[in-house]
Amino acid sequence: MMNRTLSRKLLGSMCGISNPRLSFAQSAVNTVQREKELIKSRELEKDEPRPLYMDFQATTPMDPRVLDAMLPYQVNYYGNPHSRTHAYGWESESAMEKARKQVADLIGADPREIVFTSGATESNNMSIKGVARFYKAKKKHIVTTQTEHKCVLDSCRIMEAEGFDVTYLPVKNNGLIDLKQLEETIRPDTSLVSIMTVNNEIGVKQPIKEIGHLCRSKNVFFHTDAAQAVGKIPINVNDWKVDLMSISGHKLYGPKGIGALYLRRRPRIRIEPLQSGGGQERGLRSGTVPTPLAVGLGAACEIAQQELEYDHKHVTVLANRLVQKIMAAIPDVVLNGDPDQRYPGCVNLSFAYVEGESLLMALKDVALSSGSACTSASLEPSYVLRAIGTDEDLAHSSIRFGIGRFTTEDEVDYTVEKCVQQVKRLREMSPLWEMVQEGIDIKSIKWTQH
Amino acid sequence: MAASAAVRSAVSLTQRFVRVSPDCSICPLYRLNACTGATDGFTAPSRRLRTSIGVWQSGDSSSPEEEERVVNVVYIDRCGQRIPVQARAGENALHLAHKHGVDLEGACEASLACSTCHVYVSSEHYEKLPEPEEREDDMLDMAPMLQENSRLGCQIVLTPELDGMELTLPKVTRNFYVDGHVPKPH
C-alpha cells in the first residue's frame, strides 16, 4: 500500500500534475528523497500503519502484566528502598526484595546472590573488570570467545590495556566453541572464563553445562552473559556451575534500564566494585535501586518462568515455519549457526547474491536488522559472522529475524511472502546472480580495481 | 553496643530474683544469638560483670608450657607503622589490637554485625586460618577495598602456627570519616 502512494506521488511529480493531497513543492522534494535511497531514519507519520516487529533480539515490548506491576511503584509507593526509617522506604524495600526473589527463582539461585544493575552491559562490565582486578595479584589471564557481545569484548580490551592477558577463543563454523581447545587454553593463572549462553546475532546455544564443569574442575571462575537466554531456555546456575551471570530486563519483556548480576555465594566470588558510593547492593553496586524497574524485572521473570515452556514451543513452531517456507521458495539461502544447538527465536539467514541493506530497505514494513543492533549503525559486517567463517559477501547479505512471545503466524507468513518476493526481485537485478545462472563460478573471478 | 549493654543489664536484673531453671526461649540474649551459655541449667547465673574483653591480663608468661603458646603478631597500621605484639594462643586479633593501642575499629564488638575490623592477612598465614563462616563472609562483603587476603579481625583466633603473622589495616573502613578519625573502642 505504501508502494502505491509513493509511485503515485512520483507519477504526479513526473507528469507535472500536482497530487491533490500534496503541493507541487512537496512532491518535488519527495523525488529528491527517493533518489538518495539510503535507510534514512524517518519517524512514522500519524495514522501510518506500523511495521511488523521482527527484531526481538534487539529489544522486546513490555508485557502488559509487567506494566501493571510497575505502575503503583511509580506514582504511589515511590519511596527509596534504602530509607530505613519510614513506611515509604519499608514498602519499597520489600517490593525490591520480592523482585529479587523472583529473579533468583528463574535461574535457580538464592535471592542474596542477585545484584540489580542498569542492564546486562553493566553486569558484564562488573563481572569482567571486577573479577580481573580483584584477583590480579596472582591471576592475570582471561579467556573469552570471538563471538561475544561488544561490551564483553570491549571490557576485555580494556583489561588488556591494564596489563592482563586475554585469549579470544575462535569458534567452529557452527558457532560453538571447541571444549578441548578451551581446556588447553586455561592456564594456572586464569582468573575468568566468559562465554555467552545464547548468541544475540546467530542464536547459537553454547554447551554451558560442560564449560561450567570444566571451569570448576580447574578452579577458574565462569561468567556467562545470559541476556538472550534468561526466560527463554531453562537455566539453573547450580546445575551449570556458573559463578557469574548477566541478566537483561528488556530482553525478557521487562523494562529497559534494569538488569541483574548473579554472583555465587558458595564458593564465594568477590569482585572489585565499579560504582562506589553508599554500599548498596552488598557494596558491589552503590546507588539507589530503581524500585519500579526492579519490580518490573521481577514480574517479567516470574511471567517468563510460568510461560517458558509455552513460549518456547510457540517460538519453535513459528521459526521452523519461517525457515522452511523461505528455503522452499528460494535457493541459496544459508542458515548461520548450528541448526540444533540454538535458540529457535533468533534466525539469521544469508541470502546469496543479495545485499543485506537493500533487502532490509525493500522490506520496509517489517522491522528487521542485519546483525545486532549495536553494529547496525556502522558499515562493518558483523564480527560474529566473520568468526563463524562466513565469506564476506554472505556476511553482507545476512538478515536476522527475531521471533518472540507476541509474534503471530500471520506476521511470519507476511514476512516470508515479502522476503521471498523482494529477494527474487533483487536477484533479477543482480549481475552476480546472472553470472551464477550462466554457470560461472564466482569465486574464480579476479575482480579488477578501477 | 548500647542495646546489648541494656539487654545484659535487663537480663541480670530479672535473673537476680530467679532461682529455678532459666527459660532460654524468652531470654533476649538467646534470641539475639549472643548467649554465652554461662548459666548451666539449674543454678542462678552469677551476677558479676561479664565482658568479652578479658579484664585480667597476665603480663609475661613465666611457665614453659605458656612460652610455647606465645604468638608473635605484627600490626601494620594505616600510616605504615609496624607494631610488633606478643600474644597468647586463643586470643582474638581485635581485642589484642585494642590492648596494644592499634587503631583497629570494632564497632559491633566482635558480634559479626559490621565490617570495621577488616584486616589484610599476610599471604603465608592466610591459608592457615580456618575457612570463614557464611556470616563472616557476608559482613566482609560490605567492607570497602577488599582483597583476596581479607578477613575480619574479630574472627581471627591466634594459634601457635600463626606465629609471625602480619595484619595490615586497610586505608578505609565503612565509616566515612575522611579526616582520618577512628572511633575509640567502648
Side-chain angles (χ1 to χ4, degrees):
Chain A
M1 343 109 264
M2 284 221 335
N3 297 329
R4 260 186 272 134
T5 359
L6 248 178
S7 50
R8 209 188 301 137
K9 285 182 197 167
L10 260 179
L11 219 52
S13 57
M14 270 163 33
C15 304
I17 310 162
S18 50
N19 190 307
R21 270 187 287 149
L22 292 172
S23 72
F24 181 72
Q26 223 170 353
S27 51
V29 165
N30 283 342
T31 340
V32 172
Q33 278 180 349
R34 192 167 130 12
E35 274 167 8
K36 283 229 180 94
E37 292 266 87
L38 300 160
I39 298 189
K40 263 179 51 183
S41 57
R42 184 184 66 82
E43 283 175 39
L44 297 169
E45 285 163 27
K46 184 172 178 291
D47 296 338
E48 195 180 329
R50 297 178 68 79
L52 298 180
Y53 191 72
M54 297 283 290
D55 200 11
F56 278 76
Q57 275 67 45
T59 185
T60 56
M62 217 160 72
D63 194 304
R65 295 167 282 186
V66 169
L67 187 60
D68 282 345
M70 282 171 68
L71 270 179
Y73 294 93
Q74 300 275 28
V75 288
N76 248 349
Y77 310 123
Y78 47 77
N80 184 321
H82 313 290
S83 298
R84 312 203 130 239
T85 56
H86 49 70
Y88 287 97
W90 303 327
E91 71 199 356
S92 194
E93 185 180 17
S94 88
M96 177 181 81
E97 293 305 320
K98 179 172 169 225
R100 206 187 292 274
K101 174 119 182 48
Q102 287 167 324
V103 176
D105 284 343
L106 182 59
I107 58 173
D110 187 278
R112 291 172 295 181
E113 295 171 315
I114 302 285
V115 171
F116 286 116
T117 63
S118 67
T121 298
E122 184 180 349
S123 303
N124 285 335
N125 268 264
M126 274 166 73
S127 306
I128 293 171
K129 294 178 180 167
V131 170
R133 287 174 185 159
F134 191 85
Y135 295 97
K136 69 172 177 246
K138 298 197 188 127
K139 309 227 170 167
K140 281 276 186 180
H141 183 227
I142 302 171
V143 178
T144 184
T145 68
Q146 290 177 2
T147 53
E148 292 295 308
H149 193 266
K150 266 188 174 176
C151 54
V152 170
L153 293 179
D154 201 35
S155 304
C156 288
R157 290 199 303 198
I158 299 288
M159 289 293 103
E160 275 186 307
E162 281 189 17
F164 290 85
D165 278 330
V166 181
T167 305
Y168 301 94
L169 280 178
V171 292
K172 299 184 280 200
N173 280 348
N174 60 359
L176 297 171
I177 59 142
D178 188 341
L179 282 165
K180 278 235 80 227
Q181 199 177 29
L182 173 63
E183 188 169 358
E184 283 155 20
T185 314
I186 294 177
R187 312 193 311 222
D189 70 335
T190 304
S191 58
L192 182 71
V193 168
S194 175
I195 296 178
M196 69 196 319
T197 314
V198 169
N199 189 287
N200 55 318
E201 287 195 36
I202 53 181
V204 160
K205 203 166 62 167
Q206 302 286 354
I208 298 293
K209 187 163 179 182
E210 285 77 19
I211 302 171
H213 280 82
L214 172 63
C215 292
R216 183 60 64 82
S217 67
K218 301 244 174 177
N219 234 347
V220 173
F221 293 121
F222 177 39
H223 163 252
T224 181
D225 176 7
Q228 296 287 348
V230 173
K232 302 192 173 129
I233 57 171
I235 294 180
N236 188 305
V237 288
N238 290 315
D239 280 347
W240 287 3
K241 297 223 184 308
V242 164
D243 297 303
L244 301 115
M245 179 180 278
S246 305
I247 298 163
S248 173
H250 70 115
K251 304 284 169 23
L252 61 155
Y253 313 97
K256 293 179 184 52
I258 186 96
L261 176 63
Y262 159 78
L263 286 138
R264 182 170 282 281
R265 271 165 69 88
R266 292 167 195 248
R268 195 159 293 231
I269 176 153
R270 290 224 157 88
I271 61 174
E272 213 183 78
L274 277 185
Q275 196 152 305
S276 316
Q280 286 82 15
E281 297 293 287
R282 273 165 58 189
L284 299 171
R285 203 271 181 189
S286 298
T288 304
V289 170
T291 310
L293 295 178
V295 165
L297 176 63
C301 287
E302 184 167 1
I303 294 170
Q305 190 171 15
Q306 286 162 1
E307 307 199 344
L308 203 144
E309 213 184 301
Y310 180 84
D311 281 345
H312 195 262
K313 279 201 202 116
H314 175 82
V315 164
T316 310
V317 161
L318 289 180
N320 287 341
R321 194 184 173 89
L322 177 89
V323 173
Q324 277 156 19
K325 279 186 132 185
I326 289 184
M327 294 217 171
I330 40 180
D332 294 316
V333 176
V334 178
L335 173 68
N336 294 309
D338 195 274
D340 302 307
Q341 289 303 315
R342 56 170 29 251
Y343 171 63
C346 175
V347 177
N348 191 307
L349 296 173
S350 285
F351 301 92
Y353 320 115
V354 166
E355 219 256 323
E357 293 283 297
S358 52
L359 181 56
L360 279 184
M361 248 175 40
L363 293 170
K364 269 198 228 353
D365 31 8
V366 184
L368 291 166
S369 90
S370 63
S372 68
C374 15
T375 57
S376 55
S378 65
L379 291 173
E380 48 178 79
S382 154
Y383 58 87
V384 173
L385 290 176
R386 189 163 168 275
I388 62 171
T390 316
D391 291 328
E392 213 178 304
D393 53 332
L394 270 185
H396 272 289
S397 346
S398 74
I399 306 280
R400 177 184 71 185
F401 299 85
I403 299 172
R405 185 185 287 166
F406 304 120
T407 317
T408 62
E409 204 175 283
D410 286 342
E411 285 179 348
V412 169
D413 287 342
Y414 182 85
T415 307
V416 167
E417 193 191 302
K418 280 280 152 159
C419 188
V420 165
Q421 187 188 61
Q422 296 301 327
V423 166
K424 283 186 177 156
R425 183 182 74 88
L426 287 166
R427 277 182 176 167
E428 296 290 305
M429 298 198 284
S430 164
L432 288 177
W433 177 249
E434 242 178 73
M435 288 160 64
V436 165
Q437 298 297 83
E438 287 168 17
I440 303 173
D441 178 18
I442 304 276
K443 304 231 184 292
S444 64
I445 295 178
K446 214 165 173 308
W447 303 101
T448 55
Q449 304 273 53
H450 290 276
Chain B
M1 306 84 13
S4 55
V7 160
R8 248 184 256 128
S9 52
V11 166
S12 51
L13 255 175
T14 47
Q15 287 179 333
R16 209 167 289 171
F17 301 99
V18 166
R19 290 204 173 241
V20 295
S21 56
D23 184 2
C24 285
S25 56
I26 55 152
C27 171
L29 273 182
Y30 178 76
R31 302 260 287 283
L32 289 170
N33 268 341
C35 173
T36 53
T39 66
D40 54 344
F42 294 90
T43 58
S46 69
R47 294 181 229 141
R48 79 176 149 82
L49 175 67
R50 223 182 294 128
T51 63
S52 46
I53 300 175
V55 180
W56 300 276
Q57 309 168 15
S58 47
D60 23 33
S61 41
S62 36
S63 53
E65 62 267 15
E66 280 186 28
E67 269 172 22
E68 284 169 15
R69 298 175 77 234
V70 162
V71 183
N72 294 300
V73 178
V74 179
Y75 286 95
I76 304 172
D77 76 1
R78 293 194 181 91
C79 317
Q81 200 187 3
R82 293 176 69 91
I83 305 165
V85 152
Q86 264 207 353
R88 284 226 305 270
E91 277 200 72
N92 180 301
L94 175 67
H95 299 141
L96 184 66
H98 288 168
K99 223 166 35 169
H100 292 266
V102 176
D103 244 350
L104 187 59
E105 188 190 340
C108 72
E109 296 181 352
S111 59
L112 269 190
C114 76
S115 59
T116 50
C117 66
H118 166 219
V119 287
Y120 305 130
V121 182
S122 46
S123 30
E124 320 83 65
H125 300 95
Y126 182 74
E127 269 101 55
K128 298 187 185 146
L129 291 172
E131 279 285 307
E133 54 172 276
E134 209 175 316
R135 284 172 57 210
E136 181 187 344
D137 257 337
D138 282 346
M139 285 301 120
L140 205 47
D141 275 347
M142 315 276 254
M145 296 177 70
L146 274 179
Q147 283 177 15
E148 268 189 87
N149 54 345
S150 290
R151 286 300 293 261
L152 288 183
C154 64
Q155 300 299 306
I156 298 176
V157 176
L158 297 174
T159 60
E161 61 179 4
L162 293 173
D163 190 50
M165 178 164 70
E166 300 198 353
L167 295 176
T168 313
L169 270 59
K171 294 270 180 288
V172 295
T173 71
R174 196 118 189 236
N175 286 322
F176 273 83
Y177 299 127
V178 288
D179 58 350
H181 169 71
V182 178
K184 291 272 167 283
H186 299 267

